[in-house]
Amino acid sequence: MSTDPMTPADALSTAAEVMPADPLPTPGEPAHDPDLRATGLRLSYDNRVVVAGLDLAVPPGRITAIVGANACGKSTLLRALARLLAPRAGAVQLDGRALQSIPTRELAQRLGILPQSPTAPEGLTVIDLVNRGRSPHQTWWRQWSKADEQAVHEALAATDMTDLADRPVDELSGGQRQRAWIAMAVAQGTPVLLLDEPTTYLDLAHQIDVLDLITDLNRRENRTVVMVLHDLNQACRYADHVVAMKSGRIVAEGTPAEVITEETVESVFDLNCRITLDPVSNTPMVIPMGRHHRDR
Amino acid sequence: MTNPKTADIAGPTNPADPVDTTATAAPAPPPLRTQRTFRLTVPPVSGILRPRLMTVGALLAVGTFLLFCWSLTIGDYPIAFTDVVRALVGSGDPGTVLVVQELRLPRSLVGLLAGIAFGASGGLFQTMTRNPLASPDMIGLTQGAGLFVVAGIVLGWDGGLGTQSLGLLGALASAFVVYVLAWRGGTTGYRIILVGIGVAWICTSATDYLVAKGGRFEAQAATGWLVGNLNGRTWSEVGPLAFALVVLLPASLLLGRLLRTLQLGDDVATGLGTRVQPVRLAILLSGVGLIAFATAAAGPVAFVALAAPQIAQRLARTAWPPTLTSGLTGALMVLGSDLIARTLISGTELPVGIVTGVLGAPILLWLLVRANRAGSGG
């Protein structure tokens, strides 16, 4: 199997030395970065146009966060990047090929998607779920190869789910459940990972836990991550690149400091705010001002 | 929540964990921690063996065979169990061989094969729609078969096709209607169920109208068929059903792998490289084929397609209805019910469909209640 991710031992020992800007090539894989981009993208559900004429180049090897108000088209854009929604016009391309022209299975070896709040069938164990992440690499006669077994165990270790491998997913806590799904996406071994609101329904500690885990995957294994996030402060902390959307258009994109300004937040969310510096991460921190807290 | 590094420190309990090996050599894959699975590797073939599923499957197969032989011993002229087994392979008293092979075997074979088809097809539908209530008798296939057969009986225009072909055509026609009506730039399991329920009620109403309109003799014949009956089955019913199983059962087993991703929802399945629409259509075609041929041969035997997969899943403790085990459970239900139907009241042979519901429902309820008590949901 060509997509052997490096072992967690490799990752742990080297993660400290290697800066994110100088990514490790994954062993056994050509060291080329995935080039995921959308050009002239027009997306609609039936006749309702959600995204009209959008261009986006996803920075390879980085974490990109898509932010915006409800119904601004950010989840729709993510679905299009994951070929779950075919564009009405324009195209999403991976390494120069339109997604719709790449066989689904081949694409599934390069690009993984975790939809918002997926549900596992009752009684499905964590290890069975994670093993299903290997299906793009499996055939009906080869369903548990050495590479599969290794990838599943590494994914379980990377998400700290090894001890829960035999537990049914539906009996886990919300945070554990989300890590089980992320483990499935990790086992899939794709250079690109798309996540739709991976922190939904989690309490604050588990939100941070999941975002830390996603950062680990990016820093250790050089996976390109695109995720839809609701929380601007978390987007600022965890993303290298922020895309702010409003009414199906990109209003601003760039580093958190470039994008998250009082003007952008006001125009994107219709919300007055102050921006200060996050004392922990030195990234912008949004302090919203509602009607009761203006002019103070 | 523990820090990811604690998993590494937990090494001693799991010495083969890859984090303990050096980074230079490819680490040997650790043994699966789970007790319920182990690995089979005959290069390049590999898979996961599930001992409990295999044990349950083997026990069901043995039980099915025993019931099958037992059902052959029953009749106007009782034959000993050992003589039945001998007659099956053609040795022993020629009279016994004739009775077993020509008179009794077709009935038992239709019961066996139809049971397998009902169970396996129910499992396919339930996994595909992600809904344990989805079975061919909920989404209109059985009712379509019933409508065509009753129309043939009551109106008298079967076009020389006979009950069996009419049932087959009816099931296929209603499946086609359901699929087309549920299509809206692709189908979803949910829409198939909703449309199917609608089609089922239309067919049921039309069938009821025909039964009410028909003469007493026709109405009685129609009702007899609608219950599901193994009485008087001949080799002409066995042939098509056996052929359908030979083709469709292996196809269903091969599709099982794709069902495992479809079970996670359409978006996740697509993300994992499954072509959702073609796969769903292929599963639908196999399931419809199985149910159509089985219904044509045995009539719409109640409850088997709904309950057998659920019973099999709970016996095997899997998170999906295992196709083959569901089929064996279905066969056991049909053969067992037919035995009861024939022996309960001496001198009267009840239709098998009356017994399947009475027998299957308590088993399913017991399994559900037991699962709830064990705290693993029902």
Side-chain angles (χ1 to χ4, degrees), chain B residues 138 178 318 351:
Chain B
M138 294 293 281
V178 169
T318 50

Side-chain angles (χ1 to χ4, degrees), chain A residues 240-252:
Chain A
D240 305 302
H241 191 80
V242 175
V243 176
M245 286 183 70
K246 185 185 185 183
S247 314
R249 293 178 301 112
I250 293 178
V251 176

Side-chain angles (χ1 to χ4, degrees), chain B residues 254-297:
Chain B
L254 289 182
L255 287 169
R257 194 179 78 83
L258 302 167
L259 273 175
R260 299 294 93 86
T261 56
L262 214 53
Q263 235 194 335
L264 303 178
D266 288 5
D267 285 354
V268 176
T270 306
L272 292 175
T274 305
R275 296 166 66 215
V276 168
Q277 292 304 332
V279 167
R280 182 171 288 136
L281 182 60
I283 291 164
L284 203 65
L285 286 176
S286 315
V288 167
L290 286 171
I291 212 73
F293 278 94
T295 308

Side-chain angles (χ1 to χ4, degrees), chain A residues 79-103:
Chain A
R79 288 176 61 79
L81 292 178
R83 56 83 167 80
L84 296 179
L85 184 66
R88 287 294 159 96
V92 178
Q93 292 180 315
L94 180 65
D95 299 329
R97 292 164 72 194
L99 292 194
Q100 263 65 30
S101 72
I102 306 176

Side-chain angles (χ1 to χ4, degrees), chain B residues 14-15 77 86 102 112 123-124 126 132 141-142 159-160 183 193 215-217 251 256 277 301 303 316 330 357 362:
Chain B
N14 185 19
Y77 150 62
R86 227 175 289 145
E102 288 307 312
L112 172 78
L124 291 179
Q126 291 175 359
L141 306 187
T142 312
W183 183 272
I193 293 177
R216 190 203 270 171
F217 174 75
Q277 292 304 332
V301 182
F303 207 60

